[in-house]
Amino acid sequence: MNKLHFLTAGLPLASENKGYKKGLNILKEMDLDGLEVEFVHGVRMNEANQTLVNAFANEKDKLVTCHGPYYINLNSQEPEKIDASVERILETARMGKIIGAYSITFHAAFYMKQSPEEVYKTVYNSMEKICSTLEAEGNNIWVRPETTGKGTQWGTLEEIVALSKEFKNVLPCIDFAHIHARNNGIFNTYDEFSKMLEFVGNELGTEALENFHAHLAGIEYSVKGEKNHLILEESDMNYKDLLKAFKEFNVKGALVCESPNIEIDTKILKDYYLSL
């Protein structure tokens, strides 16, 4: 990656559900860098839209990522649901390749009252199938489990970094709002952000910082973790210090904004970053 790209989570709200052509034009008009295609209810996109998104992804300084379906749990107690989850991740990666996406992400698993060590082994087995299948298909897209926002969900930064060490095409998707919410309001200062980035760099190398994929939004939380996303300025999310840390560590890749007013907050993030 040659820079940090600022992406909306889905098409801009101003596109008013009138399709990719309008939505992508709005991104260009606002000087935003791309979008994360949200396959949250299934991996479906017609050929005309595939062509539009692929052309956009191949434009100079534009970037596309994909978010896999919500119905994924690689630690389900029902083997057929694990198989279905693996297939959904593979479908996301295959569509990602077609539309020129740089990276895919997904929520990997729930603990299901098991120990973190047990869940790690189960998730590892599924990731081995996913990575070997994609390698056989000649698909080298980045595959990224996302850091999660609740204590019931597998996916701490440490867990996902450990998994990333095992596979050449796996890196984290770091959702800084999730980490903040999961830990009941901490991990929200410049020093804490810097320690996270330093940890990633030390454990996974500069490649991980130069091929980054992150999520950010305002967030409401309780002692149980994430409740819902908020507009940045209506939350306590310290996005300014996070962007300062990104600048200091020369982070490159994708920062996807998931705020309810997606394109407005994405623009705020990009403009502030460029002002540093």
Side-chain angles (χ1 to χ4, degrees):
M1 289 285 102
N2 63 342
K3 69 171 189 174
L4 184 61
H5 298 73
F6 292 82
L7 281 61
T8 56
L11 289 170
L13 300 180
S15 62
E16 299 174 323
N17 296 318
K18 291 182 180 176
Y20 279 92
K21 185 175 182 179
K22 182 174 182 179
L24 296 174
N25 282 336
I26 290 169
L27 292 176
K28 293 177 188 178
E29 290 164 5
M30 294 184 68
D31 192 31
L32 298 176
D33 302 320
L35 81 159
E36 185 155 282
V37 180
E38 305 284 313
F39 292 123
V40 294
H41 299 299
V43 184
R44 293 181 290 272
M45 182 183 283
N46 66 41
E47 287 188 17
N49 286 335
Q50 291 173 27
T51 300
L52 279 172
V53 176
N54 182 278
F56 176 86
N58 282 288
E59 290 185 21
K60 188 176 187 300
D61 290 332
K62 295 294 185 258
L63 201 66
V64 170
T65 61
C66 301
H67 198 301
Y70 285 154
Y71 312 114
I72 288 172
N73 182 7
L74 297 176
N75 190 45
S76 173
Q77 303 309 288
E78 301 170 61
E80 64 273 15
K81 290 187 177 178
I82 293 179
D83 292 342
S85 295
V86 167
E87 188 57 34
R88 289 181 179 115
I89 295 167
L90 288 170
E91 288 172 354
T92 307
R94 289 165 181 151
M95 183 63 77
K97 183 178 181 181
I98 290 169
I99 64 175
Y102 150 75
S103 180
I104 69 163
T105 187
F106 51 92
H107 305 156
F110 290 84
Y111 289 113
M112 310 297 289
K113 299 181 180 179
Q114 293 176 295
S115 72
E117 294 76 18
E118 289 177 287
V119 182
Y120 182 91
K121 290 176 184 175
T122 304
V123 172
Y124 174 91
N125 291 336
S126 288
M127 289 303 298
E128 194 168 39
K129 293 177 188 174
I130 291 162
C131 291
S132 62
T133 300
L134 293 177
E135 184 176 13
E137 294 175 0
N139 188 343
N140 62 355
I141 197 167
W142 288 113
V143 177
R144 303 185 189 247
E146 180 183 335
T147 57
T148 50
K150 295 180 181 178
T152 56
Q153 296 171 301
W154 183 87
T156 65
L157 180 59
E158 291 76 13
E159 287 169 335
I160 292 173
V161 165
L163 189 71
S164 299
K165 287 182 175 182
E166 311 263 18
F167 303 98
K168 66 181 181 181
N169 63 328
V170 175
L171 282 178
C173 174
I174 303 179
D175 189 316
F176 288 91
H178 280 171
I179 293 173
H180 177 52
R182 184 185 183 114
N183 293 282
N184 198 27
I186 60 172
F187 294 104
N188 198 34
T189 67
Y190 178 83
D191 286 345
E192 288 166 330
F193 296 138
S194 296
K195 285 176 183 175
M196 283 190 269
L197 295 174
E198 186 176 23
F199 172 68
V200 171
N202 287 342
E203 296 294 316
L204 300 175
T206 55
E207 178 188 48
L209 296 176
E210 293 175 353
N211 293 277
F212 214 64
H213 186 165
H215 288 172
L216 184 61
I219 198 157
E220 183 179 1
Y221 53 88
S222 69
V223 292
K224 294 183 178 180
E226 172 193 17
K227 293 178 74 174
N228 54 271
H229 290 152
L230 299 172
I231 293 168
L232 284 171
E233 297 293 356
E234 295 176 4
S235 75
D236 68 353
M237 191 72 222
N238 186 7
Y239 70 88
K240 291 183 178 179
D241 275 357
L242 176 59
L243 293 176
K244 289 174 184 175
F246 279 2
K247 182 78 80 169
E248 177 66 25
F249 281 80
N250 197 25
V251 171
K252 300 172 183 175
L255 177 59
V256 181
C257 180
E258 296 186 313
S259 291
N261 61 343
I262 48 174
E263 65 262 41
I264 294 172
D265 272 3
T266 306
K267 185 68 171 171
I268 287 171
L269 291 170
K270 182 173 183 178
D271 289 348
Y272 183 74
Y273 179 81
L274 292 177
S275 76
L276 295 174

